[in-house]
Amino acid sequence: MKNLLKWPSFVLVLVLSLALAGCSTGEEATSSGSGGGDENTAAKGTIEQIKERGKLIAGVKYDTKLFGLKDPASGEVEGFDIDIAKALAKQILGDETKVELKEVTSKTRIPMLQNGDIDIIIATMTITDERKEQVDFSDVYFEAGQSLLVKNDSAITGLESLGGVKVLAVKGSTSAQNIREKAPDAEVLEFDNYQDAFTALKAGKGEALTTDNIILIGMQQTDNNYKLVGGNFTSEPYGMAIRKGDSAFVEEVNSLLKSMKDSGEYDTLHEKWLGTKPE
């Protein structure tokens, strides 16, 4: 510092000016080079990203007969939710084949959406106030209700029979939470997905499996040694989940649902997968 003070004043000013300019330039370069492109990408709406990419990436179930089930032989994923995803791809891109299906579970689907791994969740997802804090939802596209699946010779008839009983459910589902509230004396065992839970039921690791009635019906169709009991003891309105704040994409999805219902396409899909037209 003493040596600097001996320099002529104009030289000192020049040195300090260059030093400050260097600091300023370095900060700007760091700022523009650290995530500027990512911020621009994040700022784009989902529809724009889908069009630029040339395909819709939908998070769907692979283990839920009737709504989203992967055929181990063909590798194809089929179901009600899958056809909805194809219809959305057709509306946005003009081609229902321009859709990539990514497997989600009840536990992984919201993190995958928030991380940008998928554009939308179409996976038997119940609309709840708690979930609305994390994602936005489309209009209701299916009405389900929670029930119980048991062996045909089971003495279980409903919630009142679950005291001390091991009940199987899936992690991250509303069903696990509901059964704890409605049958507090039951022992709840949770599994990663529906296939694992159903396998556990067949192996005798529990006496009942609980989830939405339409999912249980799909399981029953694969093994007629089981039956549904207790009726529906909750209301489970399904919605498609979209990243929080993307109102344009919510409107796009709701527009699809309206056009499908107006044209009769929704009724056709309902009858195709669920055996009846909606009430």
Side-chain angles (χ1 to χ4, degrees):
M1 186 66 183
K2 290 180 179 179
N3 291 335
L4 281 176
L5 292 175
K6 293 179 181 178
W7 291 6
S9 58
F10 74 90
V11 174
L12 183 58
V13 170
L14 178 61
V15 171
L16 292 174
S17 297
L18 289 172
L20 290 172
C23 292
S24 175
T25 303
E27 288 178 3
E28 288 175 5
T30 302
S31 176
S32 62
S34 60
D38 292 340
E39 289 175 4
N40 291 336
T41 300
K44 293 177 182 176
T46 306
I47 298 173
E48 185 178 352
Q49 293 180 47
I50 292 168
K51 289 180 177 178
E52 288 183 356
R53 187 193 306 126
K55 66 179 177 181
L56 167 73
I57 304 176
V60 300
K61 296 283 184 67
Y62 276 21
D63 64 342
T64 308
K65 185 176 173 61
L66 304 180
F67 279 83
L69 184 67
K70 185 174 184 178
D71 185 327
S74 67
E76 295 294 318
V77 187
E78 298 180 325
F80 188 80
D81 283 345
I82 309 308
D83 283 353
I84 294 283
K86 290 178 179 179
L88 182 58
K90 184 176 181 180
Q91 175 163 300
I92 296 173
L93 299 169
D95 186 344
E96 70 169 22
T97 67
K98 291 185 176 181
V99 58
E100 178 183 344
L101 304 173
K102 280 195 175 183
E103 182 179 14
V104 300
T105 66
S106 297
K107 184 179 180 180
T108 65
R109 55 192 172 189
I110 289 180
M112 287 179 68
L113 179 66
Q114 292 175 330
N115 292 341
D117 297 326
I118 55 178
D119 298 317
I120 188 170
I121 300 170
I122 312 177
T124 63
M125 189 170 182
T126 301
I127 300 170
T128 68
D129 289 338
E130 182 180 1
R131 288 172 176 167
K132 284 180 181 179
E133 295 178 1
Q134 303 177 75
V135 299
D136 287 337
F137 280 102
S138 69
D139 292 337
V140 175
Y141 74 95
F142 188 82
E143 288 279 1
Q146 188 170 343
S147 191
L148 299 168
L149 185 71
V150 299
K151 285 186 176 180
N152 287 339
D153 60 358
S154 173
I156 296 171
T157 57
L159 291 172
E160 69 284 352
S161 308
L162 297 182
V165 169
K166 289 183 179 178
V167 181
L168 313 179
V170 170
K171 294 176 183 176
S173 67
T174 55
S175 303
Q177 180 179 342
N178 290 338
I179 202 66
R180 286 189 171 96
E181 293 174 355
K182 295 182 179 297
D185 295 329
E187 180 182 350
V188 181
L189 304 179
E190 294 183 62
F191 295 83
D192 287 332
N193 56 58
Y194 294 115
Q195 188 59 54
D196 288 350
F198 191 31
T199 299
L201 180 67
K202 291 189 282 188
K205 294 182 179 179
E207 297 170 63
L209 193 160
T210 187
T211 187
D212 302 340
N213 61 331
I214 198 66
I215 298 174
L216 296 177
I217 289 171
M219 295 176 184
Q220 183 188 32
Q221 288 182 2
T222 67
D223 191 333
N224 59 14
N225 291 308
Y226 294 84
K227 64 182 180 180
L228 273 70
V229 297
N232 295 343
F233 50 85
T234 68
S235 174
E236 306 294 331
Y238 291 170
M240 288 174 261
I242 293 148
R243 273 185 286 277
K244 196 74 180 167
D246 196 341
S247 57
F249 196 30
V250 173
E251 291 176 7
E252 183 77 16
V253 175
N254 286 341
S255 171
L256 169 72
L257 289 175
K258 184 178 186 305
S259 65
M260 290 181 72
K261 290 178 179 180
D262 289 347
S263 68
E265 183 180 359
Y266 179 88
D267 289 5
T268 300
L269 287 185
H270 198 285
E271 189 169 18
K272 172 185 175 182
W273 291 109
L274 309 175
T276 61
K277 289 186 177 180
E279 295 180 3

